[in-house]
Amino acid sequence: MASLIACPHCGPRPKEEFTVRGDAGITRPEPDAGADAWHAYVYLRDNPRGRHREHWHHTSGCRRWLIVERDTVTHAIYSAVDAAATGETA
Amino acid sequence: MSSFRLPSGGRLDRSKPLDFTFDGKPMQGLAGDTVASALLANGRQLVGRSFKYHRPRGILTAGAAEPNALLTIGDGGRTEPNTRATVAELYQGLIAKSQNRWPSIDFDLGAVNSLLAPFLGAGFYYKTFMWPAAFWEKVYEPIIRKAAGLGRATYEADPDSYEKCWAHCDLLVIGSGPAGLAAALTAGRAGARVILADEGFEFGGSLLSETAPIATQTPAELLSRTLAELESLPNVRLLTRTTVFGWYDGNVFGGIERVQKHVGTIDANRPMERLWRFAAKKAILASGAEERPMVFGGNDIPGVMMSGAMRSYLNRQAVAPGRQTVIFTNGASGYRTAADLEARGLDVAAIVDSRADAPKTWDGKARVISGGVVMDAKGGKALSGVTIAQAGTLEVIKADALAMSGGWSPIIHLACHRGARPAWSDAKSAFLAPEIQDGLSIAGSAAGLETLEACLADGAEKARRLVTDLGFANADRAFAAVADRTEPVKPLWFVRGSKGKAFVDYQNDVHVRDLVSAVGEGYGHVELAKRYTTNGMATDQGKLSNMNAIGILAEARKVSPAAVGTTTFRPFYTPLSFGALTGASKGRHFQPVRKSPLHDWAKKNGAIFVETGLWYRSSWFPKAGETTWRESVDREVLNVRKNAGICDVSTLGKIEIFGRDAAEFLNRVYCNAFLKLPVGKARYGLMLREDGVIYDDGTTSRLSENHFFMTTTTAYAAGVMNHLEFCAQALWPGLDVQFASSTDQWAQIAVAGPKSRAILQTIVDEDISDAAFPFLGAREVSLFGGRLSARLFRISFSGELAYELAVPAGYGEAVADAIMDAGAEHGICPYGVEALGVMRIEKGHVTHSEINGTVIPSDLGFAKMVSVTKPDFIGKAMLSREGMLDPDRLSLVGVKPVDPKTTFKTGAHILTEGATPTLQNDQGYVSSSCYSPNLGSTIGLALVRRGPQRYGEQVTVWNDLKNEYTKAVLCSPVFFDPENGKLHG
Ligand SMILES: [Zn+2]
C-alpha cells in the first residue's frame, strides 16, 4: 500500500505520485572519461541493504527531481531534497 | 424449534423486528442482532458443513475469527459468499444461504468424505495424487475442487460503488474496547487529532458483553459516558464498522469501512464500502485478544462454542446457548460465563477446569470438576452430551451447549505486519509482539493484560506517552493506573485419549493427528506443517487455530512453543472485497480517456477511432459505399498525394521550452546540432538514451531567441518530459531552462498535399509562398484577418507539400471546419493515422516501429546527423563502442515483393534467398508494412544486416507463424518521390 514521501516543495505526499529512477550516487562522467567510466555509469548499480540515495521524480506533483534517502530494508525515509540543490553544475 | 431469545436484556431494539431467510426458511430477528445471533435466537445452531469432511458445523465465535459460520448473503449482483455470520449485521429482508452442502445442509451427500477420512489426512493431496501426472489436471483436481469448496461468487456485476480516501491524524486508535476507549479519551482531551476505528457496529469491544462492575459503574454505563465525551470532542473522529487491516510504511494504516453492508435498502449515492488510508503520526493497537478453543474429540459439534462468544450472545443479544451448558476452561473466562448464565436463570451442568490447582473462588451453583477434561463431545448435528474424565474416571453428562476457553491469544497481527517477530511469553502462555515500536504501541489485552481495569489504565497511559511525545503538554490519563490481576494459566494444547476427531483448524478440517503425523513425517517446522496440513491456510488465516497448532507441534517435538515460533503475519487481517480495492477505478473510470480537441470534428466527419494508449485517434474516414478499411485508406492516400488532406496530429507531445540556456540545453539532449537553429525554423531532432540507442524523435522549432517548441511522438510524450526535467534538474542544474507541457493546449492540424498552400493561404493572413515561408519554416501567424493567433510549421511526414497549424485547443474544431470549407473546391479530404502510416512508409520515414529500443542513428541512415563537433550530448560517449560500429548491424532498408500480387506482414523475417529458414540464417525483420496504392503492391521497411549495401538483392520473407515464404527484393526505403520534389513544391 502506501507510504509517504515528504517532498521539500509539496510536503508529505503518497508515494504513488512519485516515480523512482534509481541510484543517485552516480555522477555522469566527462565525455572523454573513457569506456570503463561510462560503462559503470550506464550499467553498473549497487543494490545496498540499508541506506540508499535515489532519484525520485514528483511526477504527479511539482515535477521536481528529488534525492530521497531511504532504507531498503525498513523502507524508512531519512530525507528528501531537491536534486538541483546537490547536482552537478553546468 | 422454540425461541432461545430471553424475554429481557441485551442491547437490542425489541420494537424493531427484522425478517430474514436462511436457506429459504423465513425467520425473524431484532435490530441489534448479527446474522449469527439471530440464527441462534431461532434455535439454528447448524449453519455450515466443513471444508473437507463435510461435518455439521455450528456458530463458534461472536467475531471476526469465525471459521464455521460462513454464509452466502445477498442475491443477484450483491451475492457475497463466505460472509461471517458473526460479523454481518441483520437487516430487513436479508437473504442468507449455507454453503458447501448438497442437496441440503441437513442432508449432505458430501459427508461421505467423513467415511474416507483415513485417506484424507495430512499431506493427502501430495501422497494420493502423485501420478499419473495427467490425472491431476483431468481427474483429481476437478473432483477435489468440487468436493472441497466454500461459497461461490456470482457472475453478475456488482451494482454498487466503492470509494477510497485518506485521513491524517495525530493518534489512530485501533479497537474500541477498554484500552482503545481510554486511549482515545486521553489523547482527545489533550487536544490531539484522534481517529478511533472499530470493526464492530458499536463501540465498546468487550464492554458490550461483560457484566462485572468496574468500580461503581457497570461496563455499559462506563461505555456510554466515555462515548458521550468522545462525541463531544471536535478533534476526535469516530468510525464504527471499520476494520483496520494492515500497517504499512510511513505509519500508514489501511482500513475498510462497511458503509452500507448492514442496510436492506441501498442508497445509490453512497458507497457500499470505503477504503481508508490513515496516515497516523502515532497509533495504538488495542485489538484485544482471541480466546483459544479446547482441542478434544467432537469439539466441532454444533452447540460447542467459545466461552466469551457465549457470554457475548447472552449479554448483548439475550440469546440462551441451550438448556443445559457445560463449561470447559483453564482460566477465569469459563467461570465468568457460568456466572452470567446462572444470573439469567440458565442451568450450568458442570465447570470442568483442566487445572488441578484452580483458585477456589467460585460461589455459584454449578459443580466444579478440577483437574478434569472434556474427553469427547457427543452428538451429530447437535450436541447431546459430553464425556468428562477426572482422575481416571469417566462421567457422561447431558448437555446441549458447551462453552470452552483454552486461554487467550493477544491479537498482534498488525504489530507484526512490518517485520517484527512475536516472542513467546511463558508467563502469559502466549506470543506477544514488541509492545512499543516506532509509531505503534500495543495496549490492553492485545499486550497480554487481563482485567478491564488494567486495560483502561494501560490504554490511558500509552496514549498519554504518545501524545506527550507529539508535543501535547499536560496530557492526563483518563483512567488511573492499576495493577493487572492474573490467574496462573496452564495451557492445555489438546486432550489426550479423545475418541473422536479433535479439530485444531476448523475451517480447513485439520485435527490433532494431522499435526502429529506432520511432525512424524519430517514436516514439523511451523512453516512446513502449515503447508503440509493446511493448518491456518483458510480464509480465517488460523486466527483461532494457529496457537493451538504451535502448542501441539511443540509437544510433539518436545520443545517450547518459543522454539516452534509463528508463521508470518501479513495483511489483510480479514478478507477484503475486490470492490473496495478497486474503488472507483472500474468501467469507464478504470483509466482516463484522452480525446483530441479535434475529436468531435473527426467524429462528425465520420472517423473510425483507434485507441492508442489513452488516446482515441481517428484511423480513417469511410465514405458511403466503402465496405473495407483499405478502400477508405487507399482513397485518402491517393487524394492527399493528388489534391490535399487534413489530419489531426494533436496527440503529439508538445513541450514549450524557455530560458537563456534553452538552445544549449537542446544541444545536449539531441544528438544533432541545435545551438544555431535560427529563429523561425524547425528542425528534426533525434534524442538518444545515454547508451547511444535512439529514444525518441520529433521536430523542435525556435519561436524566439529563448523560446523553443518541441514535439515528441504520441507514445513518448510523458517520458520525454520526465527525461528533460531530469537532465535540467539533476544533470545540469546550472542551465537556465524551464519546461511546460502544452500537449493539451494546442489543437494541431496537418494540411498536406499539392493544394495545401492554396487552401491555407485563404485563412492565414501572412504570405506563405515558398519564398516567404520555405520548407522547415516555423512562425506565429494570424488567421481570419487577425481574429486568431496560431503557429504554422512547414513540416511534412507524408512527403507532400505540407503544413502543421497549431491553434488554441478550443478553436480547433472551428479552424478545422474552416480549412475543410476552404479546401472543398480543391478536393480536400480528412485522413486518419492509417493513411498517414502508408504515406510515411512510402517515404521511408521511421516511427517507433523502427525506433524500437535497439537502433542507433546510423542504423536508420542518420549517421550524418550525429554531431561530431559538439563536446557532449546524451548518448555521445557510448555511441563509439565497438558494437555500435559493427558493419554487420541491422540497418534500415526497403523491401517489396517480386510479384506485386504477393504480400508479407510486419514481423516477418528476412532470409538470404535459398537459405534454410533457421534463426542462424536470419538476416533481419520487417518493421513496418502496408499496401501502397501509389506503387500497387505491398511495401515494407525492414532492419536487415548491412541493409543499405544490399539494394537489389532478392531475398525470402519468412513468416514462420503461418509457414509463408514470399520472394522479395531489398531496395531504398524511400519508395515514393525520392528527389523530394513534392516536399519542396
Ligand atoms: Zn513536490
Side-chain angles (χ1 to χ4, degrees), chain A residues 7 9-10 58 61-62:
Chain A
C7 173
H9 308 294
C10 310
H58 197 182
C62 59

Side-chain angles (χ1 to χ4, degrees), chain B residues 712-939:
Chain B
T712 74
T713 59
T714 300
Y716 279 60
V720 168
M721 184 73 180
N722 295 345
H723 173 65
L724 298 184
E725 285 169 332
F726 179 80
C727 293
Q729 297 168 25
L731 294 184
W732 308 307
L735 292 183
D736 175 29
V737 59
Q738 305 293 333
F739 314 97
S741 167
S742 60
T743 302
D744 293 313
Q745 276 67 36
W746 296 103
Q748 196 144 321
I749 305 163
V751 184
K755 313 224 173 117
S756 59
R757 180 184 293 128
I759 295 166
L760 271 178
Q761 188 68 78
T762 63
I763 67 165
V764 174
D765 300 337
E766 288 81 359
D767 177 11
I768 58 167
S769 65
D770 192 51
F773 195 62
F775 182 56
L776 292 177
R779 61 168 296 179
E780 292 207 347
V781 294
S782 75
L783 306 182
F784 312 113
R787 288 160 70 193
L788 188 64
S789 287
R791 291 174 182 174
L792 188 64
F793 308 91
R794 190 169 159 195
I795 52 180
S796 175
F797 201 41
S798 57
E800 294 299 316
L801 169 67
Y803 300 83
E804 287 186 15
L805 180 67
V807 298
Y811 291 97
E813 185 170 350
V815 172
D817 285 343
I819 294 171
M820 287 287 280
D821 285 347
E825 60 177 292
H826 298 285
I828 197 169
C829 76
Y831 65 101
V833 290
E834 287 292 339
L836 189 63
V838 170
M839 288 188 278
R840 72 98 187 164
I841 295 171
E842 288 178 339
K843 286 294 293 180
H845 290 162
V846 296
T847 65
H848 276 290
S849 298
E850 286 73 38
I851 304 174
N852 59 14
T854 69
V855 302
I856 59 175
S858 57
D859 297 341
L860 300 183
F862 294 138
K864 284 190 183 135
M865 271 180 73
V866 180
S867 167
V868 290
T869 56
K870 287 199 286 188
D872 191 12
F873 58 83
I874 299 282
K876 178 182 169 85
M878 296 297 255
L879 263 186
S880 58
R881 286 180 292 169
E882 186 184 347
M884 303 305 203
L885 307 172
D886 182 355
D888 227 23
R889 287 183 65 88
L890 302 185
S891 304
L892 186 70
V893 67
V895 57
K896 57 188 176 191
V898 171
D899 175 356
K901 289 192 289 295
T902 60
T903 183
F904 50 75
K905 287 210 156 51
T906 304
H909 281 248
I910 307 289
L911 294 168
T912 307
E913 198 171 35
T916 320
T918 63
L919 283 179
Q920 287 74 22
N921 289 334
D922 183 28
Q923 298 295 303
Y925 54 90
V926 178
S927 53
S928 299
S929 67
C930 67
Y931 175 79
S932 164
N934 289 297
L935 280 84
S937 93
T938 291
I939 57 171

Side-chain angles (χ1 to χ4, degrees), chain B residues 396-418:
Chain B
V396 175
I397 295 181
K398 267 184 65 175
D400 59 354
L402 190 153
M404 56 181 175
S405 175
W408 298 88
S409 299
I411 300 173
I412 55 173
H413 295 63
L414 258 65
C416 299
H417 279 172
R418 292 175 68 196

